[in-house]
């Protein structure tokens, strides 16, 4: 079973081709307005593209050419379920009846639909909530019911649009564990802003910016070797880009970086370099030259951000994680010029 979608929407400058394999979960990441929700709406049949084609398990969902649609399957006949960030439960129905709605709409008898609903409520650890109405549920409880309802109709493809975004941080981990369980051996696409969702739920990540795919790959590979500033930010990494030189890398800003470059990257090739902020040191004065194994870049602090027991010191070129005492010792503040230093062995170079 596979899912293929290729769609263009001129008004939103959207042009994306997506393939999802059997039992694969793909995470769609990108900044606000990138086209993530547009992608889900087209797949679900809630938005009609100008041109494109989609097929699920060999069944054409839509086929729209220059002359207009030659095939358009309505949303309720696509074998697709959409789980939004808000539970959107039917307020007049009990939890069990909400979950049973899908099977009933596909022709199941009342008793069979109820049996399926109870099975799914047990699967998401919410069987004790079956008689409650949505108004009697907490946000986390309602989202559990929504997950069960989305899956009770046995969709061939599950679409999830920021399913944890509306939940309290104390509730989200439990729902994430539920999703990890129910997404096993299932085909799904999840839109999220949370890198933890990508790490824990997705087999593959696609980064969308400006209505186009700008990066894609296995989750851990992509987030360890980001190609875009957005992906680097998600992975909490510094990203420098440039070209291979005989002695290292020259960045797009013309600075030289000392780093171990894999032999398969030839001179002149485009290279990315990622460095963890925890491996970067900061000085208030230019370091004395002489360490051949280190690279120093200068920048002006743009902001200081608390990160647990550390402080993220940011500039336009680099970020570093420092202890608060070190920040105080250096008297760091936005607008201060500082020097960031990292060792060659702490940087990862890879082809772009």
């Amino acid at each position: 079973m596979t899912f293929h979608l290729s769609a263009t929407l001129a008004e939103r400058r959207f042009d994306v081709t997506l393939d999802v394999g059997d039992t694969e979960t793909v995470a769609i990441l990108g900044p606000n307005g990138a086209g993530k929700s547009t992608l889900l709406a087209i797949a679900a049949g809630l938005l009609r593209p100008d041109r494109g084609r989609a097929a699920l398990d060999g069944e054409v969902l839509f086929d729209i050419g220059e002359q207009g649609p030659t095939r358009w399957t309505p949303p309720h006949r696509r074998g697709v379920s959409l789980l939004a960030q808000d539970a959107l439960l039917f307020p007049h129905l009990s939890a069990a009846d909400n979950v049973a709605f899908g099977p009933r709409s596909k022709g199941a008898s009342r008793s069979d639909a109820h049996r399926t609903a109870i099975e799914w409520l047990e699967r998401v650890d919410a069987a004790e909530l079956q008689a409650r109405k949505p108004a009697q549920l907490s946000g986390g409880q309602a989202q559990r019911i929504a997950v069960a309802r989305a899956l009770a109709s046995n969709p061939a493809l599950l679409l999830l649009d920021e399913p944890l975004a509306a939940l309290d941080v104390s509730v989200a981990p439990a729902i994430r564990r539920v999703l990890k369980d129910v997404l096993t051996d299932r085909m799904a696409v999840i839109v999220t802003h949370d890198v933890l969702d990508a790490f824990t739920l997705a087999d593959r990540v696609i980064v969308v910016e400006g209505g186009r795919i700008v990066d894609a790959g296995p989750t851990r590979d992509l987030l360890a070797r980001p190609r875009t500033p957005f992906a680097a930010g998600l992975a909490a990494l510094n990203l420098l880009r440039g070209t291979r030189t005989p002695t290292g890398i020259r960045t797009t800003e013309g600075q030289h970086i000392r780093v171990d470059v894999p032999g398969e990257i030839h001179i002149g090739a485009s290279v990315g370099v990622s460095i963890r902020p925890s491996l970067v040191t900061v000085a208030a004065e230019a370091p004395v030259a002489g360490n051949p194994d280190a690279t120093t870049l200068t920048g002006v602090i743009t902001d200081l951000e608390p990160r647990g027991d550390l402080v993220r010191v940011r500039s336009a070129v680099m970020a570093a994680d420092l202890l608060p005492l070190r920040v105080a010792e250096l008297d760091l503040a936005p607008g201060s010029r500082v020097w960031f230093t990292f060792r060659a062995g702490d940087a990862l170079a890879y082809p772009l």
Side-chain angles (χ1 to χ4, degrees), residues 58-281:
E59 183 72 22
V60 176
L61 303 183
F62 66 80
D63 194 347
I64 303 174
E66 295 288 347
Q67 305 304 316
T70 58
R71 179 73 179 272
W72 179 263
T73 303
H76 64 283
R77 293 183 178 176
R78 292 194 171 196
V80 175
S81 284
L82 175 61
L83 178 64
Q85 59 181 274
D86 296 316
L88 302 176
L89 300 176
F90 299 119
H92 61 292
L93 298 179
S94 68
D97 287 340
N98 262 282
V99 179
F101 178 84
R104 286 285 287 161
S105 67
K106 295 180 71 172
S109 67
R110 185 179 299 276
S111 60
D112 286 345
H114 181 75
R115 188 180 306 110
T116 299
I118 298 304
E119 289 174 355
W120 274 107
L121 287 172
E122 291 174 347
R123 181 81 179 269
V124 300
D125 196 22
E128 74 281 2
L129 306 174
Q130 59 180 286
R132 295 190 191 181
K133 297 287 182 67
Q136 300 172 301
L137 301 172
S138 68
Q141 291 171 335
Q143 197 66 334
R144 286 176 185 269
I145 307 305
V147 171
R149 184 178 66 174
L151 293 169
S153 59
N154 193 29
L157 174 66
L158 180 63
L159 306 174
L160 304 98
D161 191 1
E162 299 278 6
L164 306 178
L167 299 179
D168 186 89
V169 292
S170 63
V171 176
I175 302 300
R176 189 178 287 112
R177 288 193 296 271
V178 168
L179 289 175
K180 184 173 179 60
D181 174 54
V182 300
L183 291 180
T184 301
D185 298 329
R186 184 174 293 276
M187 186 161 50
V189 177
I190 177 171
V191 162
T192 180
H193 279 97
D194 193 332
V195 69
L196 186 57
D197 292 343
F199 270 124
T200 58
L201 302 176
D203 304 297
R204 187 160 53 93
V205 166
I206 290 175
V207 180
V208 178
E209 292 189 34
R212 284 169 171 75
I213 293 175
V214 296
D215 202 358
T219 304
R220 295 189 180 279
D221 290 350
L222 185 142
L223 294 175
R225 296 171 172 79
R227 300 172 61 89
T228 68
F230 176 82
L234 282 175
L237 294 172
N238 289 300
L239 172 63
L240 300 171
R241 293 181 289 185
T243 56
R244 170 76 190 272
T245 69
T247 57
I249 293 170
R250 181 166 297 280
T251 70
T252 53
E253 292 78 20
Q255 298 164 313
H256 185 262
I257 299 176
R258 298 179 178 91
V259 61
D260 298 326
V261 183
E264 65 268 19
I265 302 178
H266 60 79
I267 294 176
S270 296
V271 182
V273 178
S274 64
I275 311 102
R276 296 196 176 282
S278 59
L279 300 177
V280 179
T281 62

